[in-house]
Amino acid sequence: MKNYFPYIMALGLLLFFSCKEPESFSLVQFSKLDSTKSGVDFSNSLKFDQSFNIYKYRNYYNGGGVGIGDVNNDGFVDVYFTGNLTSNK
């Protein structure tokens, strides 16, 4: 029977010394920008109605969608928003 203890010990030491938090780690990945700085001014406003509500039409109230890509081939990334009751921008 083969002795696996040295291999298990080496693996344990490798995991122990490789799992440390980097010094430049930050929990903040996004920050809220004003629409004057970002240039994005879009609101998907939905109206509440007794017969057309979130309990009956749950997926509708999840909102529209966002597409990101170079749509007009100008070399810049374009952002396209879709709205349920508002026009797309």
Side-chain angles (χ1 to χ4, degrees), residues 67-79:
I68 299 175
D70 187 10
V71 179
N72 56 2
N73 206 16
D74 62 353
F76 296 106
V77 177
D78 302 314
V79 181

Side-chain angles (χ1 to χ4, degrees), residues 32-48:
K32 187 174 181 178
L33 293 177
D34 192 38
S35 62
T36 57
K37 287 185 177 182
S38 67
V40 176
D41 187 22
F42 182 79
S43 177
N44 187 24
S45 300
L46 304 174
K47 297 175 185 171
F48 180 79

Side-chain angles (χ1 to χ4, degrees), residues 18-73:
S18 64
C19 295
K20 65 178 186 175
E21 188 173 319
E23 291 80 21
S24 63
F25 184 75
S26 175
L27 293 177
V28 178
Q29 295 181 3
F30 297 98
S31 60
K32 187 174 181 178
L33 293 177
D34 192 38
S35 62
T36 57
K37 287 185 177 182
S38 67
V40 176
D41 187 22
F42 182 79
S43 177
N44 187 24
S45 300
L46 304 174
K47 297 175 185 171
F48 180 79
D49 189 355
Q50 281 293 44
S51 62
F52 194 76
N53 57 42
I54 193 168
Y55 299 110
K56 288 184 180 179
Y57 302 98
R58 184 170 303 167
N59 291 334
Y60 179 78
Y61 281 90
N62 284 339
V66 178
I68 299 175
D70 187 10
V71 179
N72 56 2
N73 206 16

Side-chain angles (χ1 to χ4, degrees), residues 4-15:
Y4 291 107
F5 181 74
Y7 300 110
I8 294 173
M9 183 62 89
L11 180 63
L13 288 172
L14 179 69
L15 289 174

